[in-house]
Amino acid sequence: MRLRDSLLGLPRTGKQVTVILLDVGLSLLATWLAFSLRLETLHLPSGSQLWVYLLAPALSVPVFIRLGLYRAIFRYTGIDALMAIAKAVTLYGLVLFAIVLWRHGLSGVPRSVGVLQPLIFLLLAGGSRALARFWLASLSVGRVVQEGRVLIYGAGEAGVQTAAAIANARQFHLVGFLDDAPAKIGRSINGATVFSPSQTDALVARHAVSDILLALPSVSRDRRNAIIKSLSALPVHVRTLPGMADLASGRVTLRDLKELDVEDLLARDPTGVDQFLLAGTIAQQVVLVTGAGGSIGSELCRQIALQQPTRLVLFDHNEFGLYSIQQELLALCKAKSLRVELVALLGSVRDPRRLQDVFAHYRPAWVYHAAAYKHVPLVEGNSAEGIANNVFGTWNVARAALDNDARHLVLVSTDKAVRPTNVMGASKRMAEMVLQGLAASGGPTRFCMVRFGNVLGSSGSVVPLFRAQLASGGPLTVTHQDVTRYFMTIPEAAQLVLFAGAMAEGGEVFVLDMGEPVRIMDLARRMIDLSGLRVRDEANPEGDIAIEITGLRPGEKLYEELLIGNSPSPTDHPRIMKAHEEFLAWPELDVQLALLRDAVTRDDVDAIKSVLSTCVQGYFESTSGKLK
């Protein structure tokens, strides 16, 4: 231990000198062994043979220095370092053999020594480095507390790299691999056995497995969901690797492992980017995104930047959010050599003068309006502010677009606009109606709306809330036993917004296919199970995490809907439908908007709700206490 500590405590130069002296000794030993094996006796060098003993280190050390072998760190020696040693010894051996052949007249120096000595030296040099790795690395073995015992699901390249990362980090003990491929089952990978998934239950029980790592970056969503479902009943923590695109740049490390999100539980694959559908829309155009610093707005900006508009105008009242997406897009454009001019502008959609100035100066052809207040209880308690931002903010953006000849305006809407039971949903339906009314009145701008449900990872999303509650020991809070919601990933939602905008002819309400609704209680239970914990309830009082029913919040629905009417029309995209919904003609709507503006100015909540119940289908019934 003292010798090991002393070696590790040497300065870098001292360590390099030590390794050089070791290689000198090994080259001399290899020379002695080569002579002894060739002459079949214990060798005592004499005469011309001494010349070979001097030549071996004189050749090997400069070659090793030139090929960078003394820059390696022994504790982290791997297959690449051993291959470098093999290349260096091969080069050294060729030179040595050539010299021995050239000086074959030297008495007592067989030509075969020129072959035997490099082979023996290769074994000694490579072996010394392998032994040093285990010897030096074992210094920390006793000091590392292993976090658990793991199985890796997937015995492909990603699985093997994950196993290597686990071995280097020494935080886990690898029990083995799981894989569906019959040809792999029963085989061994670097000493770890590949088991059939049917053996998972027995392996978890026999080896006290605490974690299962999914190393399946290219598997389909359906298959991933089936695997996760098969593991949900086991007392293990399930984690996963990112997709193949994220792994393409380098080897897997433990930092790549991530917690399962609800997106891993969606029973479908996300949509792909249809470049043909987007061609000729936003490319080489000036594009403006309101709410650019928000969850949906920022993802829209990322995907728009990849289409290479000439200028992308980021508009938001949140300084930090705006700064964050600007810096991220600058890095993206540099990394992918995108020729996009980025303009970050502070401002509120509630300020019509600021909007007119921005539109007049930059003349955007495409506008994506994502700025909105969307937290249901907060907007319910601040009705005037919610209406001012969501309804009149949309009207301000629409008027600026019309006045400055913007060709397209796409409103990001919500399923809460359908028969809303809250002010937030009603405000978004009013915003839709503003654009529908303006579209029917004619003008240079094509208006459309895109309506969808909850997006994962957005502000107010239930998944980050559940994660924080899990980390603090619970309980997980669910508002009602039967509450359900539609879910979609942020990238997929943003892609479909772009697709819908590309198909718009004016006045359409597009509805996204959200898949099957998710019961929030089931989601809470699955997140607890996949964290390696157990739900604590009446049936299992010894469980780890409780689920608490808190009651529906003001204006909250049990179930969300996507359509007001029936029989939506299909579009050119399989996950986008076109709704057919009634709206007020602009003259009538204009009168109601004037009443609504007056109510907002006076902060008269009753008057605000009266206008909403007049204009928004279904809102009157919901305010009477009928939850849909």
Side-chain angles (χ1 to χ4, degrees):
M1 183 68 73
R2 289 181 180 177
L3 175 59
R4 186 164 49 192
D5 289 340
S6 298
L7 289 174
L8 291 175
L10 287 174
R12 182 68 182 151
T13 303
K15 293 175 182 177
Q16 289 175 329
V17 170
T18 301
V19 178
I20 290 173
L21 293 176
L22 173 64
D23 284 342
V24 169
L26 292 177
S27 68
L28 295 176
L29 176 59
T31 305
W32 179 80
L33 288 172
F35 272 106
S36 297
L37 289 172
R38 173 62 181 83
L39 300 175
E40 299 182 356
T41 183
L42 295 178
H43 175 63
L44 293 175
S46 62
S48 300
Q49 295 170 346
L50 292 172
W51 177 80
V52 181
Y53 279 86
L54 295 175
L55 182 63
L59 285 176
S60 61
V61 171
V63 170
F64 281 20
I65 292 174
R66 181 67 181 84
L67 295 184
L69 265 61
Y70 298 121
R71 294 195 297 269
I73 301 175
F74 271 29
R75 274 180 291 172
Y76 306 117
T77 298
I79 188 64
D80 292 337
L82 294 178
M83 289 299 296
I85 293 171
K87 292 177 182 178
V89 173
T90 299
L91 177 60
Y92 151 77
L94 290 173
V95 176
L96 178 66
F97 184 65
I99 294 175
V100 170
L101 283 178
W102 177 53
R103 300 297 299 273
H104 70 276
L106 292 175
S107 60
V109 181
R111 285 175 292 179
S112 55
V113 168
V115 177
L116 284 173
Q117 197 276 350
L119 291 175
I120 297 171
F121 187 33
L122 174 61
L123 293 175
L124 293 175
S128 68
R129 281 154 174 79
L131 289 173
R133 174 188 177 178
F134 290 109
W135 183 54
L136 294 174
S138 64
L139 177 66
S140 59
V141 170
R143 302 175 187 173
V144 174
V145 179
Q146 291 189 340
E147 296 180 3
R149 303 168 69 82
V150 303
L151 285 166
I152 297 176
Y153 205 119
E157 183 177 352
V160 174
Q161 292 183 13
T162 303
I166 289 172
N168 287 331
R170 299 179 180 273
Q171 294 178 356
F172 297 96
H173 171 74
L174 177 60
V175 174
F177 295 88
L178 300 170
D179 203 284
D180 299 314
K184 295 180 181 179
I185 295 172
R187 306 289 291 272
S188 177
I189 300 176
N190 294 331
T193 304
V194 181
F195 299 97
S196 167
S198 63
Q199 300 173 269
T200 306
D201 291 20
L203 290 169
V204 169
R206 185 186 316 137
H207 297 283
V209 172
S210 60
D211 295 75
I212 294 181
L213 311 181
L214 302 183
L216 304 164
S218 59
V219 75
S220 70
R221 183 73 67 190
D222 287 344
R223 179 60 186 144
R224 178 184 293 269
N225 191 63
I227 291 171
I228 291 171
K229 185 176 181 180
S230 71
L231 301 176
S232 61
L234 297 174
V236 294
H237 188 185
V238 182
R239 285 188 281 182
T240 186
L241 287 174
M244 286 303 296
D246 298 315
L247 296 179
S249 59
R251 296 180 63 83
V252 174
T253 70
L254 289 186
R255 290 190 300 272
D256 294 315
L257 297 173
K258 64 175 184 176
E259 300 296 329
L260 283 171
D261 242 329
V262 68
E263 63 190 86
D264 295 295
L265 309 179
L266 292 176
R268 64 176 183 177
D269 291 309
T271 184
V273 177
D274 189 336
Q275 297 292 348
F276 178 78
L277 188 59
L278 293 180
T281 56
I282 55 180
Q284 302 302 308
Q285 301 290 324
V286 177
V287 182
L288 184 147
V289 179
T290 70
S295 51
I296 288 292
S298 60
E299 181 61 27
L300 280 170
C301 291
R302 294 182 194 101
Q303 297 193 27
I304 290 169
L306 295 175
Q307 302 301 317
Q308 300 197 66
T310 55
R311 178 182 289 156
L312 177 54
V313 181
L314 318 173
F315 189 84
D316 205 300
H317 75 287
N318 184 313
E319 180 185 28
F320 179 73
L322 184 62
Y323 170 78
S324 298
I325 187 59
Q326 179 195 33
Q327 295 303 305
E328 182 182 339
L329 292 177
L330 286 171
L332 175 67
C333 291
K334 181 178 180 181
K336 295 187 174 292
S337 301
L338 303 176
R339 302 185 64 179
V340 181
E341 179 187 352
L342 299 173
V343 180
L345 299 177
L346 282 168
S348 171
V349 295
R350 296 174 59 176
D351 184 349
R353 180 177 299 177
R354 174 62 169 159
L355 285 170
Q356 289 288 348
D357 290 343
V358 168
F359 274 72
H361 183 77
Y362 292 101
R363 310 293 293 184
W366 283 82
V367 181
Y368 292 89
H369 179 39
Y373 290 152
K374 56 188 177 182
H375 196 275
V376 170
L378 283 179
V379 174
E380 198 70 22
N382 299 271
S383 299
E385 293 298 307
I387 295 294
N389 192 77
N390 292 358
V391 178
F392 294 107
T394 299
W395 192 4
N396 293 336
V397 173
R399 285 194 301 178
L402 284 168
D403 292 345
N404 295 278
D405 299 324
R407 294 202 297 272
H408 301 270
L409 191 155
V410 182
L411 169 66
V412 176
S413 191
T414 171
D415 58 357
K416 292 178 176 61
V418 178
R419 281 181 279 273
T421 59
N422 50 70
V423 173
M424 193 285 283
S427 71
K428 292 298 287 184
R429 177 56 189 147
M430 285 291 290
E432 292 180 355
M433 293 172 68
V434 167
L435 297 193
Q436 287 178 295
L438 291 174
S441 300
T445 306
R446 289 183 178 181
F447 297 103
C448 75
M449 297 120 271
V450 185
R451 185 188 293 163
F452 52 89
N454 299 275
V455 289
L456 305 172
S458 67
S459 58
S461 172
V462 70
V463 177
L465 173 63
F466 281 173
R467 285 218 180 282
Q469 292 174 339
L470 276 171
S472 62
L476 269 60
T477 56
V478 178
T479 58
H480 191 281
Q481 180 78 21
D482 298 320
V483 67
T484 64
R485 292 292 181 266
Y486 291 99
F487 285 101
M488 178 177 283
T489 64
I490 292 178
E492 182 178 11
Q495 287 173 12
L496 293 177
V497 168
L498 296 180
F499 294 155
M503 293 186 292
E505 296 180 357
E508 298 94 341
V509 177
F510 292 107
V511 179
L512 304 188
D513 173 13
M514 299 292 297
E516 294 299 319
V518 177
R519 189 166 174 261
I520 302 301
M521 178 62 76
D522 294 339
L523 173 62
R525 289 182 175 276
R526 295 188 75 176
M527 289 188 68
I528 293 173
D529 291 342
L530 294 170
S531 296
L533 303 172
R534 284 290 169 263
V535 177
R536 185 169 69 246
D537 53 20
E538 293 181 0
N540 185 21
E542 302 300 321
D544 305 295
I545 303 291
I547 299 177
E548 179 180 322
I549 304 298
T550 60
L552 289 171
R553 298 171 297 181
E556 185 177 20
K557 279 184 175 183
L558 280 180
Y559 314 105
E560 298 292 0
E561 304 168 271
L562 290 169
L563 292 170
I564 298 174
N566 297 312
S567 303
S569 302
T571 68
D572 292 337
H573 195 287
R575 292 187 182 173
I576 301 176
M577 299 172 289
K578 188 189 301 182
H580 303 282
E581 297 179 353
E582 296 180 358
F583 60 93
L584 297 178
W586 183 255
E588 184 180 352
L589 181 62
D590 195 21
V591 172
Q592 295 297 326
L593 287 173
L595 295 174
L596 187 60
R597 186 185 296 277
D598 179 65
V600 167
T601 302
R602 293 183 287 106
D603 196 14
D604 187 338
V605 175
D606 290 337
I608 288 173
K609 291 187 175 182
S610 176
V611 175
L612 294 178
S613 64
T614 299
C615 299
V616 179
Q617 182 180 343
Y619 181 70
F620 177 79
E621 288 84 353
S622 67
T623 58
S624 301
K626 297 181 181 179
L627 291 175
K628 301 295 183 182

